[in-house]
Amino acid sequence: MSQDMLMLLVEGLGETFYMVTVSSLVSALFGIPLGVVLVVTGKGHIKENLVFNQTLGAIVNAARSTPFIILMVAIIPFTRIIVGTSIGTNAAIVPLSIAAIPFLARVVESAIKEVDAGLIEAAQSMGASTGQIILKVLIPESMPSIVLGFTLTVISLIGYSAMAGAIGGGGLGDLAIRYGYQRFRADVMLATVVILIAMVQIVQSSGDYFAHRLNKR
Amino acid sequence: MIMLTELQKVYQGESGPVKALDNVSLEIEQGEIFGIIGKSGAGKSTLIRCINLLERPTAGRVLVDGQDMITLSEGELREARKRMGMIFQHFNLLSARTVLENVAFPLELAGVSRSEREKKVEPLLELVGLTDKRDVYPAQLSGGQKQRVGIARALASEPKVLLCDEATSALDPQTTESILALLKDINNKLGLTIVLITHEMHVIKAICDKVAVIEGGQLVEIGKVFDVFTNPQSATAQDFIKAVVNNKVPDTLAKLLSEVPIVGGNLVMRLSFFGEATNEPFIAGLIRRFAVDVNIISGNIDHLQDIPYGTLLIELSGKDEDIQNALRYMQDLDLRTEVIGYVARHAHVAG
Ligand SMILES: Nc1ncnc2c1ncn2[C@@H]1O[C@H](COP(=O)(O)OP(=O)(O)OP(=O)(O)O)[C@@H](O)[C@H]1O
Ligand SMILES: [Mg+2]
């Protein structure tokens, strides 16, 4: 493989890394609170509000059931408003984050639902406020599951980011399509696949490691 | 300290409303260990949870330390709850926190600084005997140790009242004993008012001063433990007491019993005695004064709140007239006597 090809691969890897990292952080920033809200406004929970909960649930479901490739195209106007363009890595981050937020929210929701109701009750009996219950009981107690859920989200984002390459988002996916597919460069195709697999492995192993470290049960 | 007035709680269940508490009124004094006993589903948990308003009663009044809990705002209620500790059947410790951090949790909620928290937690760990476990996570503790952490945590905010919801029900008998001893110790040392719910009479017997019996959401009996034990009024209380005091008539004898006197038959009776009477050699007196033979069928002597208490099932044989005189003699003593029935002489040979 030529020096130029190698440069392209390194560049692609950098772009993928950038897209995945930024969209992971954005999805955590919005997805985790959204997951918390989905739990606490649910039936019998500390801030029950069923109308709100069901409306939010429906929006989350709608976003989740839209295939990524369609979502990406459908929100182009919104992407333009946010980043000023609909092409490039920065533009790809918008649909990536929007796809990942509801996914992570659901994962966080199910992780927090696992927290024993007895713990909430104990905290209430000590005079804890709603905020304290969320920050000091619900999130710390479900942290290992949240970390695993976040890991899952990052891995999905690696896959989606390759798809984003198809509409000019850059990154390894873009490389694979332009060289591997359109110019029949099997070596480039193979290299991108190997790099993507390695990324997924590293993310999964680190996620498992941190979740295990956090689990005191 | 705690006054519940005409408390009522109705749950909207799947199949219509469920009356979990029906007009319950009771008063718990400062420094008392107050037991609430009832069968499963009687409404015990609902009742204790109404005290700190984890459950909001449908009607009635809850007064704790002179404060009307029901009219409090959310913020005031949180403050009021900090003056009450609660421990649970399944401990409810935070798994992501060490023993020290669990015990410090109420202080953390109250905004106490880290160094101040450690200072307050150390003596509590010592009190419950867990100083060497301070940096261990709950998963590495036994059930008894977990409950000790629960107790230390409940005491951290220096409450005036400790609410215990089946605190020993998940523990083995020996551990139960040590936890009960710890609660008694805390009650003595700190003068804490303890409300304890259970479905086991031996828990009541071990440490409570007063007991309330509930059944189907209603208060069926309330009184000093000693009085309820020695003279239970309700069928529910009698059932519970049977579980810890064995004074049943053996089946072989029960089959032969007649309720009406049998001429020339033996009298079977139960004696309950407590306090001073236990020290009197009344059986010797009985035999000396009357021409009767006394056969002890079963019996036990125990202590309730340091007062000796016992029951004896005896069979008297002799002439009918002597037996009646002996019966009257015992009824005049400070004994509780209960005639169980009569059996034909020689029909039964007691072991
Ligand atoms: N949240 C609820 N919704 C509907 N019904 C309830 C609810 N909580 C309790 N009940 C009902 O209220 C009654 C009293 O329940 P409670 O939990 O107070 O009983 P308990 O005496 O504590 O029983 P146990 O010994 O089994 O814990 C029961 O019939 C129960 O089914
Ligand atoms: Mg209960």
Side-chain angles (χ1 to χ4, degrees), chain B residues 9-14 16-21 36-49 55 89 165-166 169 197-199 214 216-217:
Chain B
K9 176 74 195 185
V10 181
Y11 287 112
Q12 293 309 326
E14 309 266 288
V18 182
K19 223 177 201 179
L21 288 180
I36 297 168
I37 190 166
K39 294 175 189 152
S40 186
K44 307 181 292 292
S45 295
T46 307
L47 181 58
I48 202 163
R49 291 155 51 88
E55 211 71 74
Q89 178 173 4
D165 188 351
E166 304 259 5
S169 299
I197 71 170
T198 180
H199 58 267
I214 61 171

Side-chain angles (χ1 to χ4, degrees), chain B residues 96-346:
Chain B
R97 289 171 168 252
T98 62
V99 165
L100 180 97
E101 289 164 346
N102 263 287
V103 177
F105 189 53
L107 300 171
E108 191 180 322
L109 293 177
V112 176
S113 74
R114 181 181 291 272
S115 58
E116 196 69 15
R117 292 204 294 264
E118 291 217 10
K119 231 184 284 166
K120 286 198 161 178
V121 168
E122 292 291 347
L124 285 170
L125 289 178
E126 204 174 307
L127 178 71
V128 299
L130 285 178
T131 307
D132 56 329
K133 300 281 183 201
R134 54 170 275 171
D135 296 321
V136 158
Y137 287 92
Q140 284 133 276
L141 299 177
S142 70
Q145 290 170 330
K146 284 182 191 164
Q147 196 57 290
R148 286 169 185 274
V149 177
I151 292 171
R153 179 176 71 176
L155 296 178
S157 55
E158 297 173 21
K160 293 183 169 176
V161 175
L162 180 63
L163 306 173
C164 314
D165 188 351
E166 304 259 5
T168 58
S169 299
L171 304 174
D172 63 55
Q174 272 150 330
T175 314
T176 295
E177 197 130 314
S178 75
I179 293 293
L180 293 177
L182 175 62
L183 290 175
K184 182 92 201 173
D185 185 40
I186 289 165
N187 167 255
N188 281 337
K189 274 190 193 152
L190 312 176
L192 199 69
T193 307
I194 299 181
V195 185
L196 179 155
I197 71 170
T198 180
H199 58 267
E200 294 169 309
M201 202 63 190
H202 74 89
V203 171
I204 302 279
K205 182 171 161 259
I207 63 166
C208 294
D209 303 312
K210 275 207 202 139
V211 61
V213 182
I214 61 171
E215 163 103 74
Q218 289 178 325
L219 188 70
V220 293
E221 190 158 349
I222 183 167
K224 291 219 173 79
V225 169
F226 193 81
D227 296 336
V228 173
F229 246 81
T230 52
N231 192 14
Q233 302 296 313
S234 63
T236 321
Q238 284 162 9
D239 277 354
F240 276 118
I241 287 161
K242 267 186 208 145
V244 283
V245 180
N246 175 28
N247 56 10
K248 273 211 316 241
V249 180
D251 286 346
T252 47
L253 179 59
K255 269 186 261 169
L256 303 169
L257 277 177
S258 149
E259 278 182 28
V260 293
I262 297 173
V263 179
N266 291 352
L267 170 71
V268 177
M269 59 187 300
R270 183 183 291 130
L271 305 173
S272 308
F273 45 94
F274 32 86
E276 306 285 295
T278 344
N279 302 323
E280 259 171 61
F282 68 93
I283 291 190
L286 205 62
I287 300 169
R288 214 167 40 235
R289 280 168 219 236
F290 308 96
V292 290
D293 283 334
V294 179
N295 178 28
I296 297 176
I297 299 167
S298 71
N300 61 29
I301 295 180
D302 205 341
H303 284 75
L304 265 177
Q305 319 282 290
D306 302 325
I307 304 171
Y309 158 73
T311 59
L312 272 185
L313 193 63
I314 61 172
E315 185 177 353
L316 295 182
S317 59
K319 287 209 208 88
D320 291 346
E321 194 191 311
D322 290 328
I323 289 178
Q324 290 309 317
N325 287 336
L327 179 59
R328 232 165 288 131
Y329 163 74
M330 283 187 287
Q331 283 166 342
D332 286 344
L333 285 179
D334 196 12
L335 290 177
R336 196 164 285 143
T337 54
E338 183 189 351
V339 173
I340 306 285
Y342 299 84
V343 284
R345 195 157 302 160
H346 307 304

Side-chain angles (χ1 to χ4, degrees), chain A residues 47 116-130 132-133 136-137 140-141 214-217, chain B residues 49 52 54 74 78 81-82 84 86 88 92-97 105-106 108-110 137 139-140 153:
Chain A
K47 280 284 165 200
D116 186 353
L119 295 184
I120 300 170
E121 195 156 275
Q124 281 174 327
S125 79
M126 294 174 228
S129 64
T130 304
Q132 286 175 322
I133 291 174
K136 291 180 188 287
V137 179
E141 286 295 310
L214 286 167
N215 193 349
K216 308 294 185 189
R217 261 180 263 209
Chain B
R49 291 155 51 88
N52 61 1
L54 282 179
E74 228 176 277
R78 282 203 299 274
R81 280 176 175 163
K82 286 176 184 157
M84 284 184 259
M86 189 166 193
F88 306 86
N92 295 347
L93 302 180
L94 296 165
S95 70
R97 289 171 168 252
F105 189 53
E108 191 180 322
L109 293 177
Y137 287 92
Q140 284 133 276
R153 179 176 71 176

